[in-house]
Amino acid sequence: MVNLLIIFLVCATHTVFVNGQNIGKITELSEPVVAKVGGFAFVNCTVSSPQSIENNILVEWVFLNATDGGKSVSSDCTITESHNIIAGKKKYEIFCVDLDNNDKRYALRVNALSVPDNGLYQCRVRISSEQKPTDSMAVSLTVLSPPKIVKSSSDITVYGIINGTASMRCDGQGIPGPNVTYGRASGRPLPKGRYEVLTNKTTATSTTTVLKLYNLTKEDRGTYRCSADNNIRPPEDLFSRLIIEFKPSVSLVEPSYGSPTGENTQIMMWCRVDGYPRPSMTWYAMTSADTQRFKAGNLELDEKFYSNAKVILTDEKYQVEQKIMTVGSQSTMDSMFYSLSLQTVESVDMVYYVCRAMNTHGEDAQAVLLYPVNALADERNTGTTALSESTFILFTLSVLFSRHIFIR
């Protein structure tokens, strides 16, 4: 059920008698009218007057709005509103119908309803020679409007830090005032025990809410949806993106890759980098000696190592690429995949390769091993390359597809 604010009829009577008869009396008025935006509404007023003075009676419709105290819409059977034509169509129409017993109905039709048409419409009856009404009554018109969310750039993108707090505001407007709810665009639940929704209904037609998230984690980043609904279709959504700044985290698709050596051999290795601001990423190649030390646990991935390690750049031997993770059609700013491809694999290439990522919050690195396998047949060579690519696909599907994330 839609809860509506019902405005009671407003009455004012100045009784006038002619030859002992009560003239200019309103005998019937519309009940409060409720209609939808874009439609139309009728407000009816039935007036009784003796036939002997019927021509001396004036019946007016006046729109009582809050801005100027009221404006005349019609006088008897003539529209008096000066701006009656809107977009080539009549805003107001008046229909006069003679009834029995000298009664007359004045039906005012309001077209192309919009929110400003909300208010009281007063039927006034007076003798043409007097200014003071002999009778007047008013009926309320409520124009139902679907919800709208007031948007600003600060509502679209919100920034936070690990263990910090983030707030997302949503201002919904409509008649009646909408109910506002929050959720995650992915369908995942809001973080249990770490959020609250603060609601403040500023008016009967607007609702202001704030979603607060506490003790932020990396898992809280993503897109959030604010929905405003007042049972007048359609509802409206606002999508806000929460970006959380955090140090890089490097993970490997596979800890090691096997490859034959010789002509027409190639291998592709992958690492995933998460972090914001977006980290810079570099591939390094260990020497054979460093590989043995690293296997034995006698080598740290520190500045001393990086200062002496070989930096890999794209050339005839190597190819370094990045793949952007996307949510739906939008690319993410905090997750990337990096690949390292080797053309014509040789025995000296059988070492550890380090994927290193850095941003203003810190750094992380992981080492992946390339080891030799026997090249028994060309089919084995093809199978080795296909294995790494298929494993990457399976990894991304199992870890990311549930979040509607894709690689391009």
Side-chain angles (χ1 to χ4, degrees):
M1 293 292 293
V2 177
N3 295 322
L4 298 176
L5 177 63
I6 302 299
I7 304 176
F8 293 100
L9 299 183
V10 179
C11 306
T13 302
H14 170 59
T15 305
V16 176
F17 293 90
V18 175
N19 297 327
Q21 294 179 299
N22 184 5
I23 71 167
K25 180 69 176 178
I26 297 175
T27 59
E28 185 180 356
L29 191 72
S30 299
E31 294 293 326
V33 179
V34 178
K36 293 183 179 181
V37 163
F40 65 89
F42 274 103
V43 287
N44 298 320
C45 179
T46 301
V47 177
S48 176
S49 62
Q51 187 174 6
S52 59
I53 62 164
E54 182 179 353
N55 294 332
N56 294 323
I57 291 292
L58 289 178
V59 178
E60 300 172 308
W61 276 109
V62 178
F63 178 36
L64 302 176
N65 53 20
T67 56
D68 55 15
K71 66 176 181 179
S72 175
V73 175
S74 70
S75 177
D76 276 347
C77 301
T78 303
I79 296 297
T80 57
E81 164 61 30
S82 58
H83 302 289
N84 191 43
I85 304 300
I86 299 178
K89 297 182 180 179
K90 293 180 179 180
K91 179 64 178 177
Y92 301 104
E93 294 177 89
I94 186 73
F95 300 92
C96 300
V97 180
D98 291 321
L99 305 175
D100 295 334
N101 302 320
N102 294 327
D103 286 356
K104 193 169 188 176
R105 177 176 298 155
Y106 298 83
L108 177 68
R109 173 169 165 153
V110 186
N111 298 312
L113 291 174
S114 60
V115 172
D117 295 323
N118 277 283
L120 293 174
Y121 289 77
Q122 186 180 60
C123 177
R124 294 178 181 176
V125 184
R126 66 182 178 89
I127 298 176
S128 59
S129 60
E130 296 188 16
Q131 292 297 318
K132 192 171 184 179
T134 63
D135 201 2
S136 65
M137 298 181 71
V139 59
S140 65
L141 171 60
T142 301
V143 180
L144 301 179
S145 61
K148 295 293 181 184
I149 296 178
V150 181
K151 302 178 179 65
S152 68
S153 57
S154 61
D155 300 326
I156 305 303
T157 305
V158 179
Y159 293 87
I161 60 175
I162 298 295
N163 296 322
T165 301
S167 297
M168 284 166 272
R169 175 172 170 166
C170 190
D171 295 340
Q173 297 180 349
I175 300 176
N179 181 45
V180 176
T181 57
Y182 289 90
R184 301 195 69 165
S186 64
R188 296 169 58 196
L190 295 173
K192 186 176 181 180
R194 294 191 293 108
Y195 79 92
E196 64 176 334
V197 177
L198 306 177
T199 302
N200 175 28
K201 283 203 171 184
T202 55
T203 69
T205 61
S206 65
T207 305
T208 299
T209 64
V210 177
L211 172 65
K212 281 187 170 290
L213 302 177
Y214 301 98
N215 301 319
L216 294 173
T217 68
K218 290 190 295 184
E219 288 69 29
D220 295 329
R221 69 193 192 274
T223 303
Y224 290 76
R225 180 181 63 248
C226 158
S227 298
D229 192 356
N230 64 355
N231 293 325
I232 308 299
R233 296 294 181 248
E236 183 158 289
D237 293 332
L238 172 67
F239 292 91
S240 300
R241 184 179 178 193
L242 175 59
I243 296 174
I244 298 178
E245 296 191 7
F246 59 98
K247 66 172 289 186
S249 173
V250 177
S251 57
L252 300 176
V253 176
E254 290 183 344
S256 60
Y257 295 81
S259 174
T261 59
E263 294 184 4
N264 300 321
T265 57
Q266 55 181 301
I267 191 70
M268 178 182 291
M269 297 173 284
W270 294 89
C271 72
R272 171 179 169 174
V273 176
D274 296 274
Y276 191 87
R278 179 177 290 179
S280 61
M281 184 275 166
T282 307
W283 283 101
Y284 295 85
M286 291 187 185
T287 63
S288 296
D290 282 345
T291 295
Q292 297 305 315
R293 292 173 58 201
F294 188 76
K295 284 183 178 180
N298 297 323
L299 178 66
E300 297 290 336
L301 299 180
D302 53 18
E303 289 300 327
K304 180 179 179 181
F305 164 75
Y306 292 122
S307 62
N308 297 312
K310 176 183 177 181
V311 176
I312 299 178
L313 302 175
T314 296
D315 56 19
E316 294 181 356
K317 173 74 173 180
Y318 304 102
Q319 185 173 5
V320 177
E321 293 183 298
Q322 67 179 25
K323 303 290 183 180
I324 302 174
M325 298 178 63
T326 62
V327 181
S329 60
Q330 297 182 346
S331 61
T332 69
M333 301 175 64
D334 50 21
S335 296
M336 300 285 292
F337 273 93
Y338 291 89
S339 65
L340 172 61
S341 300
L342 280 69
Q343 311 295 326
T344 310
V345 180
E346 303 174 80
S347 58
V348 294
D349 299 322
M350 303 301 170
V351 295
Y352 271 104
Y353 295 85
V354 178
C355 174
R356 183 193 189 192
M358 303 174 63
N359 69 9
T360 55
H361 295 282
E363 66 174 272
D364 191 26
Q366 293 288 338
V368 56
L369 177 65
L370 180 61
Y371 62 89
V373 295
N374 293 327
L376 298 180
D378 291 341
E379 181 180 355
R380 178 72 175 273
N381 296 343
T382 305
T384 303
T385 303
L387 176 64
S388 63
E389 293 176 348
S390 63
T391 304
F392 169 69
I393 295 173
L394 289 174
F395 175 82
T396 55
L397 287 176
S398 61
V399 177
L400 306 175
F401 192 70
S402 61
R403 297 177 58 195
H404 308 290
I405 297 179
F406 304 91
I407 308 300
R408 64 178 182 179

